[in-house]
Amino acid sequence: MDALPDSLKLDFLPRLTGSLSTPARQNPTVAMIEAAYQHHKLHARYINCEVSAAELADAVRGVQALGWIGFNCSIPHKQAIIPLLSGLGRSASLIGAVNCVVIRDDKLIGENTDGIGFLKSLRHLTDPAGKRFVLLGAGGAARAIAVELALAGASHLTLVNRNRARAEEVAKLVADNTKTTAEGLGWDKAFALPADTDILVNATSIGFYPDTSAMPNVVLESLRPGMIVADVIPNPPHTALLQAASERGCVTLDGLGMLVYQGVASIEHWMGEAVDASVMRSKLEDIFRISRAS
Ligand code: NDP
């Protein structure tokens, strides 16, 4: 018997993934992930969806009915999604927030790839095991990063936050659940880094576009040459903090790496595929260059 003609072998049903958030319009994740799908010739699509808090449960039922294999959820759904899920991965359960959902065999499993994304980006520079960190901020990003650093064997975390109670809460979460020691401090004046700090991480929203000259209130003289200074802000990647740190001889790490690697980790959760981070990073660099030029 003749082989089937090519037209009958064609597969017009891609694996569907996407993002549920609001506001969704300026979230560049779709461009970054679709660049990876195209580069690796994965028969898959990623759809950016505007979903309000009131519509979240319907949207989740909808994507399940449509056969999606998974999705990201972003602001403001990272905690609200949890009661709609069948279970949580270890990090998501400790962090108490989900940004990636895997749909398999009618089950929805919540994962958190934000902290993993930061960790994978940091590992290009150093192994966090045994290191002492100062984390500025105690919101969702700081919480995810704190948990992953602790699970990766960081020796000590100092969380510094305007709202001190939030910093203390994250420090307690870390100290109660991992071997890492942690303390939460308030932040009402310029913060001087302890002399034994190995790595500073800005995990606040200070410096995000369009407020690009904004700078976390730290004593710049306490940044030592050779110290690693990381920022979670992806746009602009070279924040005022990273510029100042670089001028003082620090090694800097921008927030694009975290964004790219949380996407890499999401695709791995959904499809078991390890995609090329550099394709995703160059797509984001193009987008942020264009958006600032226009
Ligand atoms: P949250 O709203 O949960 O937390 C914001 C944090 O920033 C809080 O700790 C808040 O302090 C602090 N903060 C905000 N403004 C100020 C200020 N003027 N002075 C001092 N502290 C301030 O946000 P997220 O944690 O979810 O996100 C934080 C940043 O991380 C965002 O800019 C986001 O874009 C970025 N991000 C980047 C990712 C990446 O992949 N690169 C992934 C996820 C987030 P307080 O508690 O006192 O209000």
Side-chain angles (χ1 to χ4, degrees), residues 114 137-141 161-163 166 203-206 208 232-233 255 258-259:
D114 279 336
N161 197 46
R162 194 172 51 177
N163 175 335
R166 284 182 97 187
T204 71
S205 41
I206 300 169
F208 199 87
V232 298
I233 301 295
M258 176 177 176
L259 186 55

Side-chain angles (χ1 to χ4, degrees), residues 11 15 20 38 42 47 96 108 122 124 143 157 189 193 199-200 232 235 247 272 274 276 282:
D11 174 356
R15 287 176 282 180
L20 313 183
Q38 281 159 22
L42 295 172
I47 302 158
L108 290 94
L122 179 66
H124 282 278
R143 201 177 168 95
L157 305 183
K189 59 178 188 309
L193 270 70
I199 298 162
L200 168 68
V232 298
N235 182 21
E247 280 159 20
D276 184 345
S282 75

Side-chain angles (χ1 to χ4, degrees), residues 27-29 32 117 234 255-264 280 284 288:
N27 186 341
T29 304
M32 167 182 100
L256 278 188
M258 176 177 176
L259 186 55
V260 165
Y261 280 108
Q262 61 85 19
V264 169
M280 295 161 81
L284 286 178
F288 291 143

Side-chain angles (χ1 to χ4, degrees), residues 1-282:
M1 201 166 102
D2 287 345
L4 278 175
D6 278 346
S7 59
L8 293 182
K9 285 192 218 153
L10 292 177
D11 174 356
F12 294 102
L13 196 61
R15 287 176 282 180
L16 294 176
T17 58
S19 172
L20 313 183
S21 72
T22 183
R25 194 171 296 277
Q26 291 184 338
N27 186 341
T29 304
V30 54
M32 167 182 100
I33 295 211
E34 290 238 310
Y37 289 171
Q38 281 159 22
H39 177 80
H40 291 281
K41 298 191 170 39
L42 295 172
H43 191 26
R45 296 302 308 269
Y46 187 98
I47 302 158
N48 191 25
C49 304
E50 176 79 31
V51 176
S52 70
E55 292 162 335
L56 181 63
D58 284 345
V60 170
R61 272 192 296 276
V63 300
Q64 227 181 331
L66 290 169
W68 285 30
I69 61 168
F71 57 91
N72 289 128
C73 56
S74 192
I75 291 169
H77 307 315
K78 288 186 179 181
Q79 288 166 321
I81 189 92
I82 292 176
L84 306 173
L85 303 177
S86 330
L88 296 180
R90 183 173 181 216
S91 297
S93 152
L94 265 180
I95 295 163
V98 164
N99 75 328
C100 173
V101 174
V102 181
I103 307 176
R104 204 166 288 147
D105 303 327
D106 282 335
K107 293 216 164 24
L108 290 94
I109 304 300
E111 306 282 354
N112 193 309
T113 61
D114 279 336
I116 286 286
F118 177 81
L119 199 62
K120 285 192 172 192
S121 174
L122 179 66
R123 282 194 191 282
H124 282 278
L125 296 179
T126 192
D127 180 352
K131 304 281 188 330
R132 298 180 73 85
F133 288 77
V134 169
L135 254 74
L136 306 174
R143 201 177 168 95
I145 290 170
V147 165
E148 295 298 349
L149 289 176
L151 293 177
S155 129
H156 183 80
L157 305 183
T158 301
L159 288 124
V160 183
N161 197 46
R162 194 172 51 177
N163 175 335
R164 181 177 182 152
R166 284 182 97 187
E168 286 172 343
E169 190 194 316
V170 180
K172 182 167 174 5
L173 170 77
V174 166
D176 286 354
N177 291 284
T178 72
K179 292 181 180 146
T180 303
T181 55
E183 61 186 328
L185 306 177
W187 193 9
D188 50 11
K189 59 178 188 309
F191 183 76
L193 270 70
D196 57 1
T197 304
D198 296 302
I199 298 162
L200 168 68
V201 184
N202 173 39
T204 71
S205 41
I206 300 169
F208 199 87
Y209 184 86
D211 199 5
T212 55
S213 59
M215 169 95 168
N217 194 11
V218 292
V219 176
L220 289 179
E221 293 68 32
S222 66
L223 302 179
R224 282 180 290 100
M227 177 187 272
I228 294 176
V229 177
D231 208 319
V232 298
I233 301 295
N235 182 21
H238 206 48
T239 57
L241 173 66
L242 294 191
Q243 286 171 39
S246 175
E247 280 159 20
R248 294 196 61 79
C250 302
V251 179
T252 61
L253 185 68
D254 69 35
L256 278 188
M258 176 177 176
L259 186 55
V260 165
Y261 280 108
Q262 61 85 19
V264 169
S266 291
I267 296 172
E268 213 159 334
H269 277 306
W270 298 325
M271 304 180 191
E273 303 273 356
V275 296
D276 184 345
S278 68
V279 171
M280 295 161 81
R281 183 172 175 110
S282 75

